[in-house]
Amino acid sequence: MHAVFRADASAELGGGHVMRCLTLARALESLGWRCAFAVNAAAPAIVPALAERKPLILDDTAEGTAAALRRNWPGGADWLIVDHYGIDGAVETGWRGWAGAVMAIDDLADRRHDCDVLLDQTFGRRAEDYAGLVPEDCRLLTGSAYALLRPAFAAARAGSLTRRQAGDGLRRLLVSLGATDPENHSRDVLEGIARSGLRLAVDVVLGAGARHLDDIRARCAELPQQAELHVDTADKPGLMARADLAIGAAGTSTWERCCLGLPSLLVVIAENQRRIAEAVSAAGAAELLSGRRDGLAERTGTALRRLAAAPAALREMSAKAAAICDGRGGDRIGLALAAPGRARDGRSVSLRLAAPEDENLILEWQRHPTTRKYARNPAVPSPAEHHAWFTRRLAEPDGLLTIITLDGAAAGLLRLDAPAAGGARPAGSREISILVDPALRGLGIALEALKFVRRWQGRLTIAAEVLPGNAASAALFEAAGYAPGPDGLLYSLPPQSAMTLSQ
């Protein structure tokens, strides 16, 4: 699959649109997609990670953009993915034909789109908010479960949440008010930190394109507290995991902080952030530093002193933040963009990530006699054993525990497990296991689920072990294109893979 991303960045816009597109591009590329970018001239300076991709630089007109896209990619693209407040359905319609499908990324729900998929990762966003704004057959991916975060945030989540449960108070503060912070809210916040009189370690994050960078560097040096400025840092997950509280803008970094359970004081630095700030604050995951700009420093100092004296409040805020986002949005979007299969009765077969509410249903499937017959461990798991296993699997940052769906309803379980350390299987491969609800067998669901995995995971080498005597399972994997390997397992190789089963 080939996707072209259309997003801009500037000192006024910040880098949020491009950053979340980069995150999605990396997630799709890990699945075997090819991704390219079309951006404005200022974007590579605002988001340095973009420069290495050699993006297509566009002019400011819709007509010029359309011509440039067709000229640069004359064969078109499978997907055009648009993240731009200035682009609506009228412009998107003009790209039909060149793009096989259009995906719009939005968080305003204030204009029409002509798209096949719409993503809005805003906490509390509902599909109904886009009623009348998208085509009737548009798939809507709404809510913070779809928040686009780099895998490093999911990887840091478990350690970050464990540390916060200890709740040793307010010692380290993170200040992150956007990559460019065009109105220099950081200075007011730093003044508030100074006024608080608290003994804190302070980390300040800004991009190299921030116009007030030199002013903030000087202010950090003058601050009574120990302060360090991080410019274009690659370690935001680490800084967030170490912080006890953040003072941040209510933009895309909101979901990063929630993933790591980082309590926040929110500052609305652009009007389009207000809905996010109010929703997250109403959920108890943050506090909103609302009010006049000239009182921001005073409000900051007051809030810091109050929270420093209330470690229980920080722990509660952390737990509520962690419930908003788990960092697996890229996985969910990748699954949503893979083409579904069809069961023998015509119903749609897809996969989704397993969720806490699936625990009891999976236990019911696992305890069925036909499931245990060919399991490696034929013993029926107890509820306690199943809960421990299920909880551990959900917490694994790269765990691929999925539910097979039939027209959206749960129909089975499909796991992709990493190989054991020191094992003989190829590095980066996964071992697949699958079970279908016994009441739904005979509809071809398992075969369609295996084919779906191959479309979804275009770069993955997948291994399957079939126990002796399980002829039905052997026939299933053979029908899905699996072939014997030298280690006795069955393998499905990535399309166009250079690897052979004799290696």
Side-chain angles (χ1 to χ4, degrees), residues 169-475:
L170 179 53
R171 299 182 181 181
R172 192 171 201 97
L173 188 63
L174 175 67
V175 177
S176 179
L177 290 152
T180 58
D181 188 15
E183 296 184 11
N184 205 10
H185 287 79
S186 296
R187 181 177 179 84
D188 296 324
V189 165
L190 291 176
E191 176 62 27
I193 294 169
R195 292 185 191 182
S196 75
L198 298 173
R199 295 184 61 183
L200 298 168
V202 182
D203 292 301
V204 183
V205 174
L206 273 176
R211 65 175 65 147
H212 302 292
L213 185 60
D214 290 341
D215 178 57
I216 295 305
R217 181 177 285 111
R219 188 61 186 133
C220 285
E222 299 167 355
L223 206 67
Q225 291 86 356
Q226 176 188 349
E228 182 176 357
L229 176 63
H230 305 264
V231 180
D232 285 335
T233 179
D235 190 31
K236 279 186 73 178
L239 292 173
M240 288 184 179
R242 292 190 293 273
D244 301 306
L245 178 71
I247 303 177
T252 55
S253 287
T254 303
W255 318 124
E256 298 169 350
R257 296 189 292 266
C258 286
C259 176
L260 299 183
L262 177 57
S264 302
L265 297 174
L266 294 178
V267 181
V268 175
I269 66 172
E271 193 56 34
N272 58 29
Q273 297 178 357
R274 188 166 301 280
R275 187 184 190 278
I276 293 174
E278 291 175 349
V280 173
S281 298
E287 291 187 9
L288 180 56
L289 292 175
S290 57
R292 291 170 55 88
R293 170 71 185 273
D294 57 13
L296 178 57
E298 181 180 353
R299 295 194 301 277
T300 299
T302 299
L304 288 174
R305 287 189 295 272
R306 175 171 46 77
L307 289 173
L314 286 175
R315 289 195 297 271
E316 182 179 1
M317 200 184 302
S318 171
K320 290 180 176 178
I324 287 176
C325 175
D326 64 2
R328 303 294 300 275
D331 290 327
R332 292 185 178 91
I333 295 167
L335 283 164
L337 295 183
R342 294 287 170 186
R344 290 182 182 134
D345 62 1
R347 284 184 283 179
S348 172
V349 177
S350 297
L351 300 180
R352 63 166 172 81
L353 291 187
E357 55 268 25
D358 297 314
E359 179 177 346
N360 291 337
L361 180 58
I362 292 173
L363 177 59
E364 180 183 328
W365 292 335
Q366 293 279 19
R367 300 180 79 173
H368 196 277
T370 58
T371 301
R372 304 318 307 171
K373 182 177 180 180
Y374 291 108
R376 283 175 178 161
N377 178 7
V380 176
S382 69
E385 290 169 335
H386 177 73
H387 176 73
W389 169 82
F390 186 72
T391 302
R392 183 176 66 253
R393 288 303 306 265
L394 284 187
E396 291 175 356
D398 61 347
L400 293 174
L401 183 67
T402 68
I403 298 295
I404 306 169
T405 64
L406 184 65
D407 268 1
L413 177 70
L414 189 147
R415 292 163 39 194
L416 290 169
D417 298 330
R425 280 192 280 129
S429 67
R430 295 276 184 145
E431 183 175 350
I432 194 168
S433 59
I434 184 171
L435 69 87
V436 171
D437 182 345
L440 295 172
R441 289 176 182 168
L443 294 175
I445 294 171
L447 178 59
E448 289 303 315
L450 293 180
K451 292 178 179 178
F452 183 99
V453 170
R454 187 69 283 168
R455 292 191 296 273
W456 167 40
Q457 293 283 346
R459 286 187 174 176
L460 197 61
T461 295
I462 306 172
E465 181 179 12
V466 177
L467 297 184
N470 194 350
S473 184

